[in-house]
Amino acid sequence: MDLVQIYQCFCDRTRLRILHLLRQSPLCVCHFQEILDEPQVKISKHLAYLRERGMVVAERFQNWMIYSLPKTPAPELEANLKCLQDCVQTDKVFARDLKNLTALKKECCEPRSLESELKLQLPIAKQSGKQKFTRAASPLHFSRG
């Protein structure tokens, strides 16, 4: 992976915030909207920019695109992502993003990997001896019943 390409991706605060969050968990656009408090169009454009340059990958699950870091990132990317993690420790915006992610996990659900999501079904209620399963708006959001 070209270093110049990595640094071009790193030169925007929103893209840095996205990459920082993806170090924690795969997320869909709706998660980014809530955590970053940015419009869907802005987030989608930045995710497309990162995806075109190989910084993130996306998997379609039904109506949603789930974004994550590459399973085996290039050594240059991995080194720079580790540096990003170290550098943002004292930045209030990045700390707030992590706090928002933690709150989202508590309020809504635990963002899951796509592999575990495909296997998971949550029993919500039993009716006439049959279990009823429901799913909320996104594949990583489950209603609590």
Side-chain angles (χ1 to χ4, degrees), residues 54-106:
M55 302 278 286
V56 301
V57 294
E59 292 184 64
R60 180 167 294 284
F61 181 80
Q62 296 175 0
N63 293 332
W64 303 278
M65 293 298 288
I66 310 303
Y67 291 87
S68 62
L69 296 173
K71 289 190 189 316
T72 52
E76 301 87 357
L77 176 57
E78 183 63 27
N80 280 282
L81 288 172
K82 285 180 182 175
C83 182
L84 172 64
Q85 291 299 112
D86 293 339
C87 293
V88 300
Q89 295 302 313
T90 59
D91 188 294
K92 291 179 183 178
V93 172
F94 290 88
R96 185 180 65 226
D97 291 345
L98 287 181
K99 183 178 175 183
N100 289 343
L101 177 60
T102 301
L104 177 69
K105 288 179 180 182
K106 286 180 182 175

